[in-house]
Structures are given as structure tokens and as C-alpha cells.
Amino acid sequence: MKSTRRSFNIGIIGAGAVGTTLASMLHRSGNNIVAVVSRSKQSARKCGKEVSCRNYSDDISIVPSTCNLVIIAVPDQSIKTVAESLAALSNLRFNRISVCHTSGSLTTDALDPVARKGARVFSMHPIQTFPGQKSLKDQISSMKGVTYGVEGPQRSLAIAKSLVRQLRGEILFVPKQAKILYHLACVIASNYSVALVGAIDSIAGKITLKKLQPFEKLLQTSLENAMRLGAGKALTGPVARGDSELIAEHLRSIQDPELRTLYKSLGAYALKLAVQEGRLSPGQIAKLQELFAGKE
Ligand SMILES: NC(=O)c1ccc[n+]([C@@H]2O[C@H](COP(=O)([O-])OP(=O)(O)OC[C@H]3O[C@@H](n4cnc5c(N)ncnc54)[C@H](OP(=O)(O)O)[C@@H]3O)[C@@H](O)[C@H]2O)c1
């Protein structure tokens, strides 16, 4: 039977954490990486080595005419400039090329310079985090089953789907006007959950030398419950019970002003969830609201 799977000739622009990870995964799934371009030749060479591509440079003009997909994985503020440089390449036949970027917050507007030349454009953002310290091998294994937020005009979506399939990922179509809300959700899921772990770590450090480890299971199970049952139903503890005395005691024990603000903001949000679930009496709600809004 004839295979319907298509492979791409891919140019990678930006050989950082995201660019190198996607390049390696796409190389392993049978695509050709035909060019690797980065700000420094050193990064381009390192990525090129991972994906058997000797055509690497700090100069974008190495992108060959055989390239039919360009992935731009440079910092957000440089995407438009890169798109402009790409659009200026006279060897490329843009009506045969797709160009995407990997930003979670920017839309395809950043790719206007190549779209105007006839390229299919889309943004394809892996909903995953790429801390610089992680090895490429570990980063690739964390990509299993990842969802990609895809935004772009209808004519580009078949290519986007095919690319996500090659990456063995799931796809979430994001309307252009909702991209900023989509990114807000990603930031809270990733960066703010990391901030919470930092807060637990600083408190735990005052009690035990093991720091985070005793709290790991609690954190994991709470997240699992919230994902499975929904946040309101998964909520336990003093807010869900309406225990204002205990919350007042917690507040008295906090010295760090940022931690106090964090505790109150998240407490107020937990209260909103508990109220939505109908778990508290009007008197309990009023007392908790007063504590979370209080200046001390
Ligand atoms: N980090 C995350 O968790 C994450 C997650 C999802 C999506 N993203 C998005 O993915 C994109 C890349 O992020 P990243 O974390 O991979 O960034 P990164 O690790 O800082 O890598 C960016 C790479 O782009 C190269 N670069 C910078 N300016 C360039 C230019 N003008 N031309 C060519 N190459 C250039 C840099 O080159 P040199 O190394 O040669 O200096 C660097 O290797 C961003 O849009 C980001 O928002 C990031």
C-alpha cells in the first residue's frame, strides 16, 4: 500500500533549546534538515551535528531552494526581522514554502513579510517548557504526547497538522484573537507552578533539610486530582472547610511580604472555587474574604 506520510525539507532558524529539539525529533522521524541557521555559527554547528546537516551558518542565505518548510525558533522579538531576511532571499519560491514560528504569544502577523510573498504561514507552539539546563535527550523524552498550539489561516492548517503528526503530538487550534489568553494559560501552568514550588521550597527549608522531597507526593496528587475531578471538587484544606481561624494563624506566621501576597491571592481564588461549588455558608465566605483582602 502506498504511504500517505509526507516528509519535509526543513530549514531551522534559531538553534536554541526549541529549535534543536524540534530539529532532532523531525530528523528522527524521517525528514531532511537541509539548513541550520543561528545567530552564532557555533550553535548552528552543534545543532547541525545532531541532525546530520552540514549546511549550517550564521547567514540565512544558506537556506536552499529545495527547502519547503522553515521553522523559526528565535526569541520572540527577533521573529519579524528573521521573516524579513527570509523574504529577501531571491532563490526561494515562496508559493511552495511553509514558514512557521514557535512563539506562544505572537500570531502569524509576525510572519507577514513571507506571507506577502506567497508562503503558507502558521505558528506552532509546543505546550512544554525548555529549561536551558536540560540535556537534549531529556528534552526529547519530555516531548512525548505534547500538545502543539497551532494558529494560522485555513490554507496552512493541513501542513501544520502533518508536521504535528510527524512530531507524534496532539494539536490544539487557537483562534488568532485568543492567542494571548492561550499564552496566559501556558504561563500560569508552567511559570507560576514553578513559582509555587519555589515558595514551598523556601518554607520547607525552615523545617527540614529534605526541603521539597516530603511535599512532592502531595503536590503531584493535588495536580492529578484537579486535572481529573476539576479544581473546585479537588479543593481540600482550610479554605474549602471555611476555617478562618487557621487561615488567620497562617497569615500571622508569614514574614516574607511576597509570600503573604501570594497566599492571599491564591486563597481568594481558592475561595472563589469553593463558593462556586456551594461549599461554604455566607458567614464563612464573609470572614475569609475579609482575611484575604486585609492589609496585614
Ligand atoms: N523556552 C521555552 O520553554 C519555550 C517553550 C515553547 C516555545 N518557546 C518559543 O520558542 C522560541 C525559541 O525559544 P528558545 O527557548 O529555544 O530560545 P533560546 O534557547 O534562547 O534559542 C534561541 C536561538 O535563536 C538564535 N537567534 C537569536 N536571534 C537570532 C537571529 N536574529 N537569527 C538567527 N538566530 C537567532 C540564538 O542563537 P545563538 O545561540 O546562536 O546565539 C538561539 O540559539 C521563542 O519564540 C520562544 O517563545 C520557548
Side-chain angles (χ1 to χ4, degrees):
M1 205 169 80
K2 200 178 163 202
S3 167
T4 54
R5 185 180 175 282
R6 70 175 289 181
S7 63
F8 297 102
N9 289 331
I10 303 172
I12 300 287
I13 319 288
V18 173
T20 304
T21 302
L22 294 181
S24 304
M25 291 169 71
L26 290 165
H27 170 62
R28 289 173 193 197
S29 62
N31 297 279
N32 305 313
I33 310 298
V34 294
V36 179
V37 181
S38 208
R39 189 173 42 187
S40 69
K41 229 178 189 169
Q42 198 188 4
S43 302
R45 185 189 310 117
K46 197 169 163 213
C47 175
K49 215 172 154 193
E50 293 291 341
V51 297
S52 307
C53 175
R54 290 190 181 169
N55 187 31
Y56 57 80
S57 178
D58 53 4
D59 181 351
I60 201 163
S61 69
I62 63 156
V63 176
S65 57
T66 53
C67 178
N68 56 14
L69 173 67
V70 177
I71 300 179
I72 302 178
V74 301
D76 289 11
Q77 62 275 20
S78 302
I79 293 174
K80 196 149 195 177
T81 316
V82 167
E84 278 161 5
S85 310
L86 195 64
L89 299 183
S90 55
N91 63 320
L92 301 182
R93 293 166 75 181
F94 285 96
N95 56 354
R96 293 191 180 178
I97 295 181
S98 299
V99 181
C100 71
H101 71 66
T102 59
S103 166
S105 61
L106 298 182
T107 67
T108 41
D109 286 351
L111 301 174
D112 272 352
V114 282
R116 280 197 296 269
K117 290 262 180 163
R120 285 183 162 79
V121 293
F122 59 98
S123 59
M124 187 196 68
H125 170 252
I127 310 183
Q128 185 52 288
T129 180
F130 296 73
Q133 292 77 359
K134 244 179 158 175
S135 69
L136 180 60
K137 185 168 168 265
D138 286 348
Q139 191 63 57
I140 290 172
S141 51
S142 77
M143 297 298 282
K144 204 173 161 199
V146 156
T147 296
Y148 293 78
V150 167
E151 167 273 330
Q154 192 64 34
R155 70 186 283 257
S156 307
L157 298 184
I159 300 288
K161 266 190 202 168
S162 169
L163 188 58
V164 171
R165 207 175 303 128
Q166 303 261 357
L167 291 160
R168 300 190 203 294
E170 301 291 325
I171 200 161
L172 169 70
F173 291 110
V174 182
K176 195 176 191 177
Q177 68 279 11
K179 190 94 198 245
I180 199 68
L181 281 184
Y182 159 83
H183 193 243
L184 177 67
C186 293
V187 165
I188 295 177
S190 176
N191 312 148
Y192 291 5
S193 63
V194 168
L196 277 186
V197 171
I200 300 165
D201 193 35
S202 81
I203 303 166
K206 296 186 171 72
I207 314 162
T208 161
L209 287 176
K210 290 184 180 169
K211 298 198 85 183
L212 279 174
Q213 190 261 321
F215 302 92
E216 191 176 338
K217 197 75 192 161
L218 174 64
L219 191 62
Q220 273 173 358
T221 311
S222 303
L223 286 179
E224 278 164 21
N225 289 346
M227 294 302 291
R228 198 170 319 122
L229 307 172
K233 291 198 170 44
L235 195 66
T236 59
V239 174
R241 294 195 302 268
D243 190 343
S244 50
E245 280 181 28
L246 182 50
I247 287 171
E249 209 178 326
H250 281 170
L251 282 168
R252 282 193 294 275
S253 74
I254 302 175
Q255 308 297 324
D256 176 354
E258 279 84 27
L259 184 57
R260 180 183 300 273
T261 307
L262 177 75
Y263 184 90
K264 285 183 178 178
S265 311
L266 285 177
Y269 206 90
L271 176 58
K272 182 174 153 157
L273 294 174
V275 170
Q276 279 167 1
E277 290 294 318
R279 295 169 71 168
L280 301 172
S281 70
Q284 286 175 314
I285 296 169
K287 275 187 186 163
L288 291 176
Q289 277 172 338
E290 199 182 327
L291 282 168
F292 293 136
K295 290 221 162 61
E296 289 175 30

